[in-house]
Amino acid sequence: MSSIMFQGTASNVGKSVIAAAVCRILTQDGYSVVPFKSQNMSLNSFIDKDGLEMGRAQVFQAEACNKIPRAYMNPILLKPCGNHISQIIVNGKSIGNMHSKEYQTFKIELIPVLKDIFNTLEKENDLVVIEGAGSPAEININSVDISNMKMAEIANSPVILIADIDRGGVFASVVGTLALLKNEDRKKVKGVIINKFRGNKEYFKDGIKMLENIIKIPVLGVVPYYDIKIEEEDGVSSKFNRKVFQSKADFVNIEIIKLPHMSNSTDFEVFEHIEKINVRYVDKGEKIGYFDDEGLCHMPDMLIIPGSKQTISDMKYLKESGLYTEIDNYVSKKGLLIAICGGYQMLGNTIEDYMGSDGKLGEIDGFGYIKMSTVFSKHKITNQVEGIFGEEEGLFRNLEGFTIKGYELHMGKKIDKNNSKEKVIDLEQKDMNNIKINDNHVQRLIEDKEENTGVSLSRADFAYDIVDGHILGTYCHGLFDNIGFTVALINNIRKEKSLESIATDINSLEDIKESEYNKLANVVRKNIDMDSLYSIIFDR
């Protein structure tokens, strides 16, 4: 059995996407392939079929391998909470929050977990495609880095170094990275891929030869900048930088509030695939709506409050920034508001945290559109969900019968206001999911109980709240990935604007992904030396 690992000169150089391309290429060539990333840091996560949480990058890599995404493909997931604190997810379950300093010591205890999982994957598959994190040349933390060269050592895997030429300084980034590696780690690097190249590669040939003469490692290929719609790395998407709409009257304009602790921004990737939609993220210091060439202000046709890793903090941000008032004015004029997960919690009466699960202890009033309160406890609800959209009014009319599939992951629970503190304590006592650290191993102990305690299960019904036909709140991530539902909703908006309906030949998001994975594989296959890559993988 074999493996190949992709590391990068920095974050966002394209490791996830190149790894996904190689996953698809090897799968096309008849191999049983599985992705693996020892540790990921991201606020974009997914719930697998067992109700376990994992990073989104390994989800699309698994799909590129024609495999069902499973949390063991990403055993450690760090979800930043701010102030150098992260929620630590191990084998799909939260073991609590840790300060970065504490985690640097603790994570060494997780090495046996990585070894066990990797060894199992290697035995069950022809190839394991491993993705590193950040850069392997972070010399101040290399002794405790389990994401890059330590993982390559565990896997006995050759390493391909990826560099991003689009950001500039590609030669220095490659040479500098290799120069900072220990000699034994540098020997693991068997090839370099230059990613995101713009222009004529003929003019770059001399540069490649000069680089190879310096590093004494072959450059396997130069991959051009590609316009392929695959999920981007967390927190760095250029989509967040959109400030203005295209000035086209026949478009549906969607604005998304860019919360400081926004999570699962992948909920909105689907809008890239539906025609005549403009999407803009409303950042700090900006206002809802846009001005046309004549100076007239136009409100969005749909406003979205996304998920949040720190709901109370982000609710406070909305109030202090003035966006709370703008959202309230928008809603008062019957504007279409959709809120997901943390955004859904903000639509209620109050958000209460007596355990510090959402960050700091506290309580804050919500918008009060939905008659509910959210109370946080230390257990995390993680389910895949499925259900049928009901018969509704207003902008949600004629959507009945659509099947909705997605997933929910949240700490807060919709609960009766009466005795809410006592209810939280009761839930803590009934928590079914207990994580223990014993003998340097992480063991997840799940007690089977017939009693429904409201704690994490692998499957749940899709649920939502609608108010006055123009406000919708739900815990369901992936709501818009249900193409038929989303197009029908967009057409309801278009009808309100006296625009013609749009049609789509897209049957599902899965069809879109399959097409994009194949496009990506074709680009990478044509632009890297696959024979040399195969030699690196197998001839060692």
Side-chain angles (χ1 to χ4, degrees):
M1 303 299 108
S2 296
S3 61
I4 185 70
M5 185 170 193
F6 293 95
Q7 298 184 14
T9 56
S11 296
N12 196 33
V13 298
K15 295 184 295 290
S16 298
V17 176
I18 294 294
V22 173
C23 283
R24 176 48 61 102
I25 289 170
L26 295 172
T27 301
Q28 289 173 337
D29 290 352
Y31 294 95
S32 173
V33 188
V34 64
F36 184 81
K37 184 169 185 174
S38 58
Q39 175 183 284
N40 200 354
M41 177 175 279
S42 177
L43 288 177
N44 286 335
S45 59
F46 175 79
I47 301 302
D48 76 3
K49 68 177 187 177
D50 295 321
L52 302 176
E53 190 171 1
M54 63 185 292
R56 296 281 314 189
Q58 281 60 62
V59 173
F60 67 74
Q61 289 168 2
E63 292 169 346
C65 295
N66 293 331
K67 295 283 174 66
I68 295 172
R70 302 295 297 276
Y72 54 67
M73 298 171 182
N74 173 214
I76 305 169
L77 174 62
L78 310 181
K79 306 191 79 174
C81 302
N83 297 319
H84 307 290
I85 294 173
S86 292
Q87 183 183 63
I88 314 299
I89 313 293
V90 179
N91 284 337
K93 287 294 180 183
S94 171
I95 63 171
N97 294 350
M98 285 189 193
H99 191 278
S100 58
K101 194 170 184 179
E102 179 187 3
Y103 179 69
Q104 291 303 320
T105 302
F106 167 77
K107 69 182 180 182
I108 302 303
E109 299 182 20
L110 300 177
I111 290 176
V113 178
L114 300 178
K115 288 181 178 178
D116 289 345
I117 293 174
F118 178 80
N119 289 339
T120 300
L121 291 178
E122 193 175 37
K123 288 175 183 176
E124 295 178 350
N125 297 273
D126 298 327
L127 284 160
V128 183
V129 175
I130 310 169
E131 181 190 347
S135 164
E138 304 293 348
I139 56 177
N140 58 316
I141 59 170
N142 267 354
S143 61
V144 291
D145 181 11
I146 60 175
S147 303
N148 293 296
M149 287 304 177
K150 184 61 180 179
M151 191 60 232
E153 176 189 325
I154 291 170
N156 188 28
S157 177
V159 172
I160 306 299
L161 185 65
I162 300 173
D164 175 4
I165 193 172
D166 191 52
R167 63 173 61 190
V170 70
F171 298 116
S173 67
V174 173
V175 175
T177 297
L178 293 169
L180 290 173
L181 295 179
K182 296 178 182 177
N183 188 49
E184 60 266 30
D185 289 337
R186 192 177 188 279
K187 289 178 179 178
K188 294 182 178 76
V189 181
K190 303 300 182 182
V192 172
I193 292 176
I194 307 296
N195 194 27
K196 304 182 185 179
F197 182 83
R198 300 176 190 261
N200 189 334
K201 285 197 288 186
E202 286 296 317
Y203 302 140
F204 193 56
K205 284 184 176 180
D206 288 344
I208 292 174
K209 290 178 182 177
M210 294 167 73
L211 179 61
E212 290 177 327
N213 287 336
I214 294 170
I215 63 177
K216 310 302 180 188
I217 297 171
V219 174
L220 300 180
V222 178
V223 179
Y225 203 100
Y226 37 79
D227 182 20
I228 296 174
K229 295 180 175 64
I230 290 181
E231 293 178 14
E232 298 184 43
E233 293 184 57
D234 182 57
V236 292
S237 175
S238 60
K239 298 179 181 66
F240 296 160
N241 296 325
R242 292 176 180 166
K243 303 301 180 189
V244 294
F245 286 128
Q246 300 176 45
S247 56
K248 295 182 179 179
D250 62 340
F251 274 52
V252 167
N253 298 316
I254 299 173
E255 293 194 4
I256 302 165
I257 304 296
K258 188 177 182 295
L259 300 170
H261 305 98
M262 179 172 66
S263 65
N264 286 69
S265 59
T266 49
D267 282 340
F268 317 116
E269 295 277 345
V270 67
F271 295 139
E272 299 287 317
H273 304 283
I274 300 174
E275 64 174 322
K276 296 189 176 181
I277 290 180
N278 283 319
V279 176
R280 170 183 171 244
Y281 287 85
V282 183
D283 210 340
K284 186 175 181 179
E286 298 176 348
K287 294 183 177 295
I288 296 169
Y290 72 103
F291 288 90
D292 62 21
D293 295 338
E294 297 178 357
L296 297 176
C297 183
H298 299 268
M299 288 293 103
D301 302 307
M302 181 194 301
L303 182 64
I304 299 173
I305 306 178
S308 167
K309 187 66 185 70
Q310 294 189 46
T311 311
I312 290 177
S313 176
D314 283 346
M315 187 74 217
K316 185 178 180 182
Y317 159 77
L318 291 182
K319 292 186 175 186
E320 292 178 347
S321 67
L323 284 171
Y324 178 96
T325 302
E326 289 197 40
I327 293 169
D328 203 39
N329 288 337
Y330 172 82
V331 169
S332 70
K333 298 172 183 176
K334 303 299 182 182
L336 173 59
L337 176 66
I338 295 180
I340 298 172
C341 200
Y344 174 40
Q345 294 169 342
M346 294 177 190
L347 300 190
N349 296 319
T350 60
I351 308 162
E352 306 165 27
D353 185 3
Y354 308 115
M355 301 286 180
S357 305
D358 189 49
K360 296 181 180 179
L361 294 172
E363 177 178 334
I364 194 168
D365 289 337
F367 284 97
Y369 301 143
I370 297 173
K371 303 307 177 186
M372 69 175 193
S373 291
T374 297
V375 179
F376 282 85
S377 66
K378 289 185 178 179
H379 75 275
K380 192 171 193 176
I381 297 173
T382 57
N383 305 310
Q384 289 193 353
V385 299
E386 182 174 347
I388 304 297
F389 202 85
E391 184 175 352
E392 305 293 347
E393 297 179 350
L395 286 166
F396 302 105
R397 66 189 179 278
N398 302 323
L399 302 180
E400 62 270 12
F402 280 108
T403 298
I404 304 296
K405 295 181 180 180
Y407 59 96
E408 59 177 289
L409 64 155
H410 52 95
M411 302 292 285
K413 184 173 177 62
K414 183 179 176 182
I415 203 166
D416 185 353
K417 271 286 291 178
N418 296 326
N419 301 317
S420 58
K421 291 184 182 180
E422 288 75 14
K423 287 178 180 288
V424 172
I425 294 170
D426 184 51
L427 283 170
E428 289 298 318
Q429 292 171 342
K430 292 181 177 180
D431 193 349
M432 291 164 53
N433 298 286
N434 180 28
I435 306 290
K436 285 188 176 181
I437 308 295
N438 286 325
D439 301 322
N440 294 336
H441 283 77
V442 176
Q443 299 175 340
R444 180 165 44 87
L445 307 177
I446 301 180
E447 301 174 13
D448 291 325
K449 294 183 180 180
E450 293 183 0
E451 179 186 13
N452 179 13
T453 62
V455 204
S456 178
L457 302 172
S458 61
R459 176 67 65 179
D461 291 335
F462 165 65
Y464 61 93
D465 282 299
I466 286 181
V467 178
D468 297 335
H470 68 106
I471 301 171
L472 182 147
T474 181
Y475 276 120
C476 180
H477 291 289
L479 172 69
F480 298 111
D481 291 351
N482 299 276
I483 296 289
F485 166 85
T486 301
V487 170
L489 176 61
I490 294 299
N491 279 333
N492 280 350
I493 297 170
R494 293 184 67 82
K495 186 174 181 179
E496 290 288 312
K497 297 180 69 174
S498 300
L499 299 174
E500 291 184 3
S501 296
I502 59 170
T504 179
D505 56 0
I506 302 169
N507 295 319
S508 68
L509 188 61
E510 287 70 27
D511 290 345
I512 297 172
K513 289 180 177 181
E514 275 298 298
S515 174
E516 296 301 302
Y517 295 147
N518 287 332
K519 287 179 188 176
L520 176 64
N522 289 339
V523 169
V524 173
R525 192 190 285 271
K526 289 177 182 178
N527 288 282
I528 70 171
D529 184 346
M530 285 303 302
D531 289 338
S532 293
L533 182 61
Y534 268 119
S535 294
I536 290 169
I537 295 172
F538 292 110
D539 299 342
R540 55 188 173 101

